[in-house]
Amino acid sequence: MDISFSIDRLTILGVDSGRFEKTINNNQFGFILRDSLAPFPYRRQYHMVDGSLLQYTDSVNHDAIRYEFNPNNIRPSKENEHRRAVVDILRTMKYPRVSRIDIAFDFKGVDLTEFYF
């Protein structure tokens, strides 16, 4: 039996350092596919070309920036570009913290159809 695991989703929250709106308006991340209204408490959300989601609010009761992505979606040919975008997003945050991490376990060569989770 071969078991492997990976981080399937990572969500990072942070306070706006004062650079977010300028950076996002200039599309300095280079990965923005489209933007739209976001569900409460966020005001705007930015869908990135790699499937990640970046959300922003100006509410003082919530972390201003929420970034959710799947590290498995980093393509080897685009790895440096994606890492640069992640670093640029993190630089717009003060006090970034991980609020969610999903771990995927892959069982190769095992029939799990009889198990209930």
Side-chain angles (χ1 to χ4, degrees), residues 16 20-21 42-44 46 54-58 64-65:
D16 184 3
F20 182 81
E21 289 206 61
Y42 296 96
R43 181 171 47 115
R44 299 295 300 169
Y46 304 90
L54 181 61
Q55 296 176 312
Y56 178 79
T57 186
D58 50 11
I65 302 168

Side-chain angles (χ1 to χ4, degrees), residues 16-81:
D16 184 3
S17 67
R19 292 183 265 181
F20 182 81
E21 289 206 61
K22 179 182 178 190
T23 303
I24 205 76
N25 288 336
N26 293 334
N27 194 11
Q28 289 178 352
F29 303 134
F31 272 59
I32 299 171
L33 184 63
R34 63 185 165 84
D35 69 305
S36 61
L37 294 174
F40 181 82
Y42 296 96
R43 181 171 47 115
R44 299 295 300 169
Q45 60 187 14
Y46 304 90
H47 302 267
M48 310 298 235
V49 295
D50 64 352
S52 61
L53 181 66
L54 181 61
Q55 296 176 312
Y56 178 79
T57 186
D58 50 11
S59 169
V60 295
N61 298 325
H62 299 90
D63 290 308
I65 302 168
R66 179 180 181 272
Y67 182 48
E68 178 179 298
F69 67 101
N70 182 339
N72 293 320
N73 287 342
I74 298 174
R75 308 240 185 320
S77 62
K78 302 273 185 182
E79 185 172 352
N80 289 336
E81 291 175 30

